Amino acid sequence: KAGVTQTPRYLIKTRGQQVTLSCSPISGHRSVSWYQQTPGQGLQFLFEYFSETQRNKGNFPGRFSGRQFSNSRSEMNVSTLELGDSALYLCASSLGGTGSGTDTQYFGPGTRLTVL
Amino acid sequence: AQRVTQPEKLLSVFKGAPVELKCNYSYSGSPELFWYVQYSRQRLQLLLRHISRESIKGFTADLNKGETSFHLKKPFAQEEDSAMYYCALRRDSGNTPLVFGKGTRLSVIA
């Protein structure tokens, strides 16, 4: 089974621009979660999508948004980029069904975003 | 709010020595606890979860609700254990987000 894929792997943007990152989950997985990883704050949860609906949301400003398509692929968008948005953005997929408390999250390799 | 604390940023041990990576959490409910590992140039992957009560690659972890801890242990460290280790918590057993600690880098010295 192919793993979680993320594109692009590296991205350089300037302040004020916007960016879109893409995540393709493992086939059959319906839940996609996004995390921001920085040296100072570690791994922080952004949001989770399940069946095209945002199911959980972390404590990030509205500049961070996402969506999920009918094939479970997900995108996240960051508008009006700030220097502090420089980070590794990870997505993780899981089956995500109801009552799946033991659901395992499988992580992608991440997208390294640098904001200049 | 839930919080996961890993007090050591870096832990260095000699090959063959015992390893204990500490993890403490704060949550008043019944959490699920996990250990994730990231080897050099590889993606983050699940190492073990407390409900499985299994040993993976010689590592074990016991959930101690009284001390709110979930320390990761291995009796004899191997060089290939060198990696970044993250403790994570999910509240209850529903589809809720993982809350990660900041990680401990384990370096096993030959």
Side-chain angles (χ1 to χ4, degrees), chain A residues 11-21 62-65 67 75-82 85 113-115:
Chain A
L11 209 46
I12 299 175
K13 292 284 186 180
T14 56
R15 280 182 300 173
Q17 287 187 308
Q18 73 164 17
V19 67
T20 300
L21 312 181
R63 299 185 297 107
F64 292 82
S65 63
R67 59 178 175 168
E75 289 181 347
M76 68 162 278
N77 184 277
V78 188
S79 63
T80 320
L81 284 166
E82 300 177 0
D85 297 333
L113 171 64
T114 302
V115 181

Side-chain angles (χ1 to χ4, degrees), chain A residues 32-88:
Chain A
V32 173
S33 297
W34 289 89
Y35 296 86
Q36 181 195 65
Q37 186 176 29
T38 58
Q41 299 300 317
L43 277 151
Q44 292 186 287
F45 172 75
L46 281 154
F47 29 64
E48 183 224 357
Y49 285 86
F50 176 75
S51 292
E52 303 178 65
T53 301
Q54 188 180 83
R55 186 161 64 176
N56 289 292
K57 187 178 188 306
N59 191 25
F60 277 80
R63 299 185 297 107
F64 292 82
S65 63
R67 59 178 175 168
Q68 187 179 35
F69 301 95
S70 58
N71 62 357
S72 294
R73 189 177 70 85
S74 177
E75 289 181 347
M76 68 162 278
N77 184 277
V78 188
S79 63
T80 320
L81 284 166
E82 300 177 0
L83 295 178
D85 297 333
S86 293
L88 182 67

Side-chain angles (χ1 to χ4, degrees), chain A residues 3-5 35 37 40-43 45 48 55-56 90 96-105 107-109, chain B residues 9 32 34 36 38 42-46 49 51 84 86 90-103:
Chain A
V4 178
T5 58
Y35 296 86
Q37 186 176 29
Q41 299 300 317
L43 277 151
F45 172 75
E48 183 224 357
R55 186 161 64 176
N56 289 292
L90 296 173
T98 304
S100 54
T102 58
D103 218 12
T104 297
Q105 290 198 357
F107 282 81
Chain B
K9 281 189 177 179
E32 277 194 273
F34 305 82
Y36 279 80
Q38 187 166 30
Q42 293 187 30
R43 60 187 67 190
L44 197 61
Q45 58 186 287
L46 178 67
R49 53 161 56 102
I51 61 171
M84 196 73 183
Y86 294 92
R90 181 160 59 198
R91 68 173 191 265
D92 305 315
S93 58
N95 300 113
T96 52
L98 289 171
V99 175
F100 284 88
K102 293 194 176 180

Side-chain angles (χ1 to χ4, degrees), chain B residues 30-97:
Chain B
S30 296
E32 277 194 273
L33 273 297
F34 305 82
W35 276 100
Y36 279 80
V37 61
Q38 187 166 30
Y39 300 102
S40 178
R41 302 187 186 204
Q42 293 187 30
R43 60 187 67 190
L44 197 61
Q45 58 186 287
L46 178 67
L47 181 62
L48 55 78
R49 53 161 56 102
H50 88 271
I51 61 171
S52 300
R53 304 181 71 81
E54 57 192 345
S55 173
I56 305 291
K57 298 185 179 184
F59 284 99
T60 59
D62 290 317
L63 177 59
N64 186 322
K65 291 187 178 181
E67 295 183 0
T68 58
S69 68
F70 187 57
H71 302 328
L72 183 67
K73 299 177 184 178
K74 184 170 183 176
F76 308 103
Q78 303 298 315
E79 289 179 74
E80 56 265 31
D81 296 329
S82 295
M84 196 73 183
Y85 291 81
Y86 294 92
C87 182
L89 172 154
R90 181 160 59 198
R91 68 173 191 265
D92 305 315
S93 58
N95 300 113
T96 52

